[in-house]
Amino acid sequence: MGQTQGHVKMDSISSSFDEQNPVLSPDGKRMYFVRSGHARNQGGVIDRGDIWYSDKTEKGWSLAKHAGSTINHTGLNGVVGFSADGERIYLLNYKDSEGNLHKGIAMAEWVMDHWSVPQPLDIRYFANNSEYISGSISPDEKVMILSFKSYDTFGNEDLYVTFKESNGSWSEPENLGADINTQGEEWSPYLAPDLKTVYFSSNGFEGQGGRDIFVSQRKGSSWTDWTKPVNLGTEVNTAGVELGYAIPKLGELAYFSSTQNSEGFGDIFGFPLNKTEKVLQEIVSNTETPITKVTEPKAQEKPVVVMTMQVLDISNDQPINGIVKLNFGEKEIEINTAELDSQEKKFLVTIEEGLEVNVEINADGFLKYKESFIVSSTPRSGGNELEGVEGFKLTSREVGTKIKIDNVLFNEGTSSFASAKEAAAQLGKLIALMENNPDLKIRLEGHTDNRGNPKLLKELSLDRVNTVKDYLVEKGLSGKRIETVGFGGEKPVGQNFSVAGRESNRRVEFVIIK
């Protein structure tokens, strides 16, 4: 049929690759879409599609950028929608902690300048028997229309509705019925904010080509009783495939994808909104708070903490690549920091406040790291507290690596701990390190400042590290794994004529010897 005259092609976004299913952020400043066939995708050129984005500028839409590995994986990706304020994004499919792909919907949160690690939604009895899935979520985040193939599907992919329940999970998906669903394929639904109007693509009704866009309205309160779907006509639909028609919160255009020149690859287009669609757009623009209560009032949720995390080399605080496994509540997630796009290798995780988190990190050339902590809105020590970053600091496995044990202080002139509580907290980290790496052997080295008799200072430093060794053995470590030596004031790291310098010289360090 050739190019439809009313189509407005997004030249800076469209390419020789396959672009589909555009979704605008609520502020209208960023367009997300799916691009397949590109080598930059997580699965390379054979990847079924990654999320890319383009930013709106004074000159139009910018050249597209890959949205990064945090919200993309090697399976089919796509954006379902956003919260009204744009702080949450809903995504297609997800990976578990072992890297296995699962069908379903996940959600991530925007913090500072990143999306957090997506976490799956709990949709009761969800089962998808197709490689395809798409969907749309209402601005109040209480209703989703999904396209997939399940137990009671009429033919191929059908449209289903699911509702958010008071406990945060989602109801069992309900088929929208035979008014909308056919023996063909119903794809890429868009649920308008009136919660009555649905746009979708189908090859099961009479149309212009391979798959056309239709619109239908819900009758009354039922979700299975719909008006006869209306084809949007030749101004929108062509002999090719049209997908992902959606009305943004702002602007004069609806957006969708089309293979209108029948080359098999989609491009992104805009189409002028009609009067009815502008009314729907006004509802979108006014939706800053929930517009309806679909289920019973939501129970008060426990506060959540969005944590920015980073894996660092303890010797220089530089980011390193590693596999991070986090286990909390009933969730397990895994992050490979080598796949993160930023040089700082920071990643975001949303966790309910008060939960215990078990962390395990493996990185080439570093000792295995394990710890547990309780989630709090106050940053823990170890990261950058001013920036709210939680830093997990790993120690090199290389023989000769030397690490200072901070805040293990002694009473003046003695080998007794100045603060037993503080010493226990600091030495607990060393105990955990040795328990997590049972083949590790260390040498404890004691140092003092230079004030006093050199021979007595040497004896004092040895007594002090032996006190540390005795504590470690008392806590269950084998003494055969720990050597001790006292250097007194022979190896200063600071100037002994200053208070600060003398303080830095009074230290206990451990050195990896095996």
Side-chain angles (χ1 to χ4, degrees):
M1 288 183 63
Q3 181 166 322
T4 301
Q5 220 168 20
H7 288 193
V8 180
K9 189 174 182 180
M10 307 291 110
D11 288 327
S12 58
I13 298 175
S14 299
S15 69
S16 59
F17 302 103
D18 192 10
E19 287 91 26
Q20 295 183 1
N21 294 99
V23 180
L24 260 68
S25 60
D27 62 8
K29 295 180 179 180
R30 178 166 289 183
M31 180 186 291
Y32 292 84
F33 60 93
V34 178
R35 173 176 280 173
S36 59
H38 199 288
R40 179 70 176 80
N41 287 351
Q42 294 295 104
V45 295
I46 63 173
D47 193 295
R48 295 190 62 212
D50 273 12
I51 300 168
W52 291 61
Y53 70 88
S54 174
D55 290 319
K56 197 168 189 177
T57 69
E58 293 181 356
K59 297 181 180 180
W61 292 101
S62 69
L63 293 176
K65 297 180 181 179
H66 188 266
S69 59
T70 303
I71 62 171
N72 279 306
H73 46 70
T74 53
L76 174 64
N77 293 275
V79 175
V80 175
F82 296 89
S83 59
D85 58 9
E87 294 297 310
R88 289 173 295 282
I89 187 173
Y90 291 82
L91 304 159
L92 300 179
N93 304 323
Y94 60 92
K95 277 187 176 182
D96 63 18
S97 60
E98 298 180 353
N100 299 313
L101 278 171
H102 293 272
K103 299 171 184 178
I105 306 298
M107 184 271 287
E109 295 190 274
W110 183 262
V111 181
M112 293 184 290
D113 58 353
H114 293 82
W115 288 113
S116 65
V117 176
Q119 297 184 27
L121 300 187
D122 179 14
I123 304 176
R124 190 182 309 142
Y125 304 127
F126 178 87
N128 183 10
N129 299 320
S130 168
E131 292 302 311
Y132 179 85
I133 184 173
S134 59
S136 173
I137 189 166
S138 62
D140 65 357
E141 303 168 87
K142 289 182 177 291
V143 187
M144 273 194 298
I145 302 292
L146 300 176
S147 166
F148 62 100
K149 185 177 180 180
S150 195
Y151 306 114
D152 54 357
T153 299
F154 287 94
N156 292 293
E157 292 80 15
D158 278 3
L159 302 188
Y160 291 78
V161 63
T162 175
F163 307 101
K164 190 172 185 180
E165 298 180 327
S166 58
N167 62 1
S169 63
W170 290 77
S171 66
E172 179 181 358
E174 179 183 6
N175 191 296
L176 294 192
D179 293 329
I180 283 183
N181 292 313
T182 70
Q183 291 185 350
E185 300 163 334
E186 280 66 54
W187 283 11
S188 62
Y190 167 69
L191 176 62
D194 64 355
L195 301 185
K196 289 184 174 295
T197 306
V198 168
Y199 293 82
F200 63 97
S201 296
S202 177
N203 60 5
F205 298 95
E206 184 178 348
Q208 308 302 317
R211 184 175 283 106
D212 282 4
I213 297 171
F214 295 82
V215 61
S216 179
Q217 288 194 315
R218 184 163 57 94
K219 298 178 182 178
S221 60
S222 172
W223 285 86
T224 58
D225 190 10
W226 296 82
T227 61
K228 182 180 178 180
V230 176
N231 190 299
L232 294 194
T234 57
E235 289 187 322
V236 172
N237 293 313
T238 70
V241 172
E242 279 69 48
L243 292 170
Y245 193 89
I247 301 169
K249 181 176 177 180
L250 303 169
E252 298 295 321
L253 300 175
Y255 293 93
F256 63 101
S257 62
S258 175
T259 62
Q260 60 181 340
N261 293 318
S262 300
E263 297 173 352
F265 294 103
D267 285 330
I268 305 299
F269 294 88
F271 190 79
L273 298 171
N274 61 33
K275 291 182 180 179
T276 302
E277 292 169 337
K278 286 186 176 181
V279 171
L280 294 174
Q281 186 181 51
E282 289 176 7
I283 299 175
V284 178
S285 299
N286 292 330
T287 304
E288 299 297 343
T289 56
I291 59 177
T292 183
K293 291 184 179 179
V294 179
T295 59
E296 59 186 278
K298 185 177 178 181
Q300 186 175 4
E301 293 182 346
K302 293 183 179 180
V304 297
V305 179
V306 181
M307 305 182 72
T308 303
M309 299 180 177
Q310 193 176 27
V311 181
L312 304 170
D313 185 333
I314 195 172
S315 65
N316 55 23
D317 281 344
Q318 292 300 303
I320 58 177
N321 293 328
I323 306 297
V324 183
K325 295 182 179 180
L326 301 172
N327 187 308
F328 51 92
E330 297 180 354
K331 296 180 179 178
E332 293 183 5
I333 61 175
E334 180 178 298
I335 301 96
N336 184 351
T337 62
E339 296 179 352
L340 301 178
D341 292 333
S342 68
Q343 291 184 345
E344 294 180 330
K345 304 294 182 181
K346 295 177 182 177
F347 56 94
L348 308 179
V349 182
T350 304
I351 309 174
E352 187 177 291
E353 189 170 18
L355 282 182
E356 181 181 49
V357 179
N358 297 306
V359 184
E360 181 178 320
I361 305 175
N362 290 282
D364 289 341
F366 289 83
L367 296 174
K368 188 174 184 178
Y369 182 98
K370 283 185 178 180
E371 76 156 311
S372 298
F373 64 89
I374 303 299
V375 175
S376 170
S377 57
T378 304
R380 305 177 309 122
S381 61
N384 186 330
E385 294 189 17
L386 293 178
E387 297 181 2
V389 178
E390 304 288 352
F392 302 113
K393 297 190 176 183
L394 274 60
T395 302
S396 171
R397 294 192 63 92
E398 185 177 356
V399 171
T401 297
K402 181 179 293 187
I403 304 296
K404 179 183 176 183
I405 306 174
D406 291 321
N407 298 323
V408 176
L409 305 177
F410 298 86
N411 291 312
E412 186 174 356
T414 75
S415 60
S416 62
F417 293 129
S419 170
K421 183 178 180 180
E422 185 63 33
Q426 297 301 321
L427 293 177
K429 299 176 182 178
L430 178 55
I431 292 170
L433 188 68
M434 297 191 71
E435 288 178 342
N436 297 332
N437 299 272
D439 59 338
L440 176 67
K441 291 187 178 181
I442 64 170
R443 179 174 64 245
L444 293 172
E445 298 183 349
H447 304 271
T448 68
D449 59 37
N450 68 348
R451 295 184 301 171
N453 183 290
K455 181 180 178 182
L456 295 178
L457 291 176
K458 202 166 187 179
E459 291 176 356
L460 177 61
S461 64
L462 180 59
D463 288 343
R464 285 176 171 175
V465 290
N466 280 332
T467 296
V468 174
K469 177 179 178 179
D470 291 343
Y471 179 86
L472 299 179
V473 172
E474 182 183 319
K475 295 300 180 181
L477 296 180
S478 170
K480 295 180 180 179
R481 299 174 62 193
I482 307 167
E483 295 181 2
T484 59
V485 62
F487 290 103
E490 295 177 359
K491 296 186 177 183
V493 293
Q495 300 294 332
N496 279 299
F497 57 75
S498 70
V499 174
R502 290 194 296 271
E503 184 177 339
S504 64
N505 289 334
R506 297 191 294 268
R507 67 197 188 277
V508 175
E509 298 171 327
F510 74 87
V511 181
I512 295 175
I513 59 175
K514 181 181 177 183

